Every structure is written in structure tokens, then in C-alpha cells.
């Protein structure tokens, strides 16, 4: 609390001492109200992930919108780098986002290589993440580092399956349960499809969806597939 001096005013001490003036100081004691600064580390950047498991295959898809602050600003229509990504092969999705930005989807140039039989036999496992874009990017780097370390230590195979990736992702998310990654994930690979919450709980499902719009998409997937 800090007293604040407003002004100084003269006053007469009594009617019999008209010429005697004294100056008093009027103080206003300001009781400052302590306000706690709001701390909001998360930002919802949108995104909708869907995945379908089949007999010997899986499909994962996403939109490419990135929502800005407040939920009304559309920051990008072509955001993909940390929305869907490959665990082991960093080059698998290279060029796709660039092709979106250039206006030409470039399916033959960029997407055909991942459909070759050699790549399918290597069982590429994909992770889709929606939520806070910064957390999704941090999670992508953490998972790739964990997979690389586990591979070098011989804890998992050099081409980990979907179940191994799902287990690794679960441990990574749960390790941050006190200050979790604000990302909602799906894992899709030859071994199946797994859906996660933000702190690592997961289950294997036939169809999965995560992110904004999940409440609308999930019933459709359950009905049609």
C-alpha cells in the first residue's frame, strides 16, 4: 500500500485566529487490488484427424486448416507439417505441404512413392495430431527422438509397428501429465489404428477421430464403417 499525495490546501485553525493559516496535506491511501495475471499456455489451433483400419491396411486423413487466436482467425489453409507425419521416414511427407501452398496438389509426384509395395512392406506408421500446433510439433520431435533412441538400444525393431509406436506415444504423453501436450492423436499403421487422449490413455479401434469436429465425425464413421 502506498499513500498518494493529491494536493495541499490551506485551512483556518479557529475563528479567533483568522490570520493563522496552516497547511495540511490530504492523503488518499490507495489500496491496490492485487490481480493475478492470467497464464494460458495453450492455444487451440484446430484440426480434425480421422483414421480407418482395414484388413492389411489403414487410412489416415486430416484437414489442413490452422486456426489462429480466438478461434476465428484462419492462419493457414495449407498446414500439414505437424498434423500428419511419419515416425521413421522423415522424407515420406516432404513436399506435400509445399505442393498445397503452391496450388498444385501433386499427388503423383509426392504421394505415389508411399504407395509402392516396398514402402508398404516397411510398414510406415503415421501419427496424426490435432490441438495446439506448437505442442504437436514438440510432440513430433520428442517421439522421433524416442523412437530413434529405442531403435539404437535394440528395444524396438528398426521399422516399429503401429503397436510399438502407440506404446511409445502413450509413455511420452503420460510423462507430461503434469503439464500435458495439448494434442489429441491417432496412430495408423499396418498393425491397426489407435486413438489417444492428451495424457496417454489409448485403445485400438476400427475407426478413430480426434480434434475439433470429432463429435460430428465419429458417429458417421461408426455408422458407415
Amino acid at each position: 500500500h502506498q499513500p498518494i499525495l493529491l494536493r495541499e490546501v490551506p485551512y483556518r485553525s479557529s475563528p479567533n485566529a483568522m490570520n493563522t493559516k496552516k497547511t495540511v496535506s490530504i492523503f488518499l491511501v490507495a489500496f491496490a487490488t492485487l490481480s493475478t495475471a492470467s497464464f494460458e499456455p495453450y492455444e487451440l489451433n484446430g484440426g480434425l484427424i480421422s483414421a480407418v483400419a482395414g484388413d492389411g491396411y489403414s487410412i489416415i486423413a486430416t484437414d489442413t486448416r490452422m486456426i489462429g487466436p480466438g478461434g476465428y482467425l484462419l492462419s493457414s489453409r495449407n498446414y500439414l507439417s505437424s498434423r500428419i507425419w511419419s515416425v521413421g521416414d522423415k522424407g515420406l511427407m516432404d513436399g506435400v505441404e509445399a505442393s498445397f501452398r503452391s496450388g498444385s496438389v501433386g499427388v503423383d509426384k509426392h504421394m505415389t512413392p508411399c504407395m509402392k509395395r516396398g514402402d508398404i512392406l516397411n510398414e510406415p506408421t503415421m501419427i496424426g495430431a490435432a490441438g495446439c500446433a506448437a505442442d504437436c510439433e514438440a510432440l513430433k520431435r520428442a517421439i522421433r527422438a524416442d523412437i530413434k533412441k529405442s531403435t539404437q538400444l535394440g528395444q524396438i525393431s528398426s521399422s516399429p509397428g503401429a503397436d510399438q509406436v502407440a506404446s511409445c506415444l502413450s509413455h511420452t504423453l503420460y510423462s507430461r501429465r503434469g503439464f500435458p501436450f495439448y494434442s489429441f492423436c491417432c496412430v495408423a499403421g499396418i498393425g491397426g489404428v489407435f486413438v489417444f487422449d492428451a495424457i496417454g490413455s489409448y485403445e485400438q479401434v476400427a475407426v478413430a477421430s480426434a480434434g475439433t469436429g470429432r463429435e460430428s465425425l465419429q458417429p458417421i464413421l461408426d455408422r458407415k464403417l
Side-chain angles (χ1 to χ4, degrees):
H1 307 296
Q2 182 178 2
I4 302 175
L5 177 62
L6 293 183
R7 59 174 181 166
E8 294 183 348
V9 296
Y11 84 108
R12 302 182 188 279
S13 59
S14 68
N16 296 326
M18 298 296 295
N19 295 326
T20 303
K21 297 182 179 180
K22 291 184 179 180
T23 302
V24 297
S25 298
I26 300 177
F27 289 89
L28 174 66
V29 179
F31 296 94
T33 302
L34 296 178
S35 60
T36 304
S38 60
F39 175 63
E40 183 55 54
Y42 299 119
E43 180 176 299
L44 181 60
N45 297 119
L48 178 60
I49 308 293
S50 63
V52 177
D55 185 12
Y57 71 92
S58 63
I59 301 171
I60 187 168
T62 182
D63 67 338
T64 58
R65 297 173 300 118
M66 185 170 75
I67 307 300
Y72 298 100
L73 177 64
L74 185 61
S75 298
S76 174
R77 295 181 184 274
N78 305 305
Y79 179 74
L80 195 63
S81 59
S82 62
R83 189 69 58 78
I84 289 184
W85 41 279
S86 172
V87 173
D89 187 359
K90 296 182 180 180
L92 190 60
M93 298 296 290
D94 285 353
V96 178
E97 186 172 2
S99 67
F100 281 132
R101 294 184 183 278
S102 66
S104 59
V105 176
V107 174
D108 292 335
K109 180 179 179 181
H110 300 293
M111 297 299 290
T112 301
C114 70
M115 298 300 177
K116 291 180 180 179
R117 182 170 180 81
D119 290 328
I120 293 176
L121 292 176
N122 289 332
E123 298 187 6
T125 301
M126 308 295 291
I127 295 180
C132 178
D135 277 6
C136 292
E137 179 64 26
L139 179 61
K140 178 177 75 172
R141 298 181 184 185
I143 289 297
R144 282 179 170 172
D146 289 345
I147 292 292
K148 183 177 180 180
K149 180 182 70 174
S150 298
T151 301
Q152 292 175 345
L153 293 176
Q155 297 173 347
I156 61 175
S157 61
S158 58
S159 298
D163 54 343
Q164 293 177 315
V165 173
S167 178
C168 180
L169 178 59
S170 176
H171 285 119
T172 301
L173 291 173
Y174 187 72
S175 69
R176 284 283 301 270
R177 62 192 180 278
F179 192 13
F181 288 111
Y182 190 33
S183 57
F184 304 92
C185 302
C186 293
V187 171
I190 301 300
V193 167
F194 302 83
V195 63
F196 294 74
D197 66 6
I199 58 172
S201 298
Y202 74 102
E203 63 176 335
Q204 185 173 3
V205 293
V207 293
S209 62
T212 55
R214 175 186 179 277
E215 295 79 5
S216 300
L217 180 60
Q218 189 65 47
I220 298 173
L221 294 175
D222 292 336
R223 173 72 175 174
K224 299 294 184 181
L225 299 173

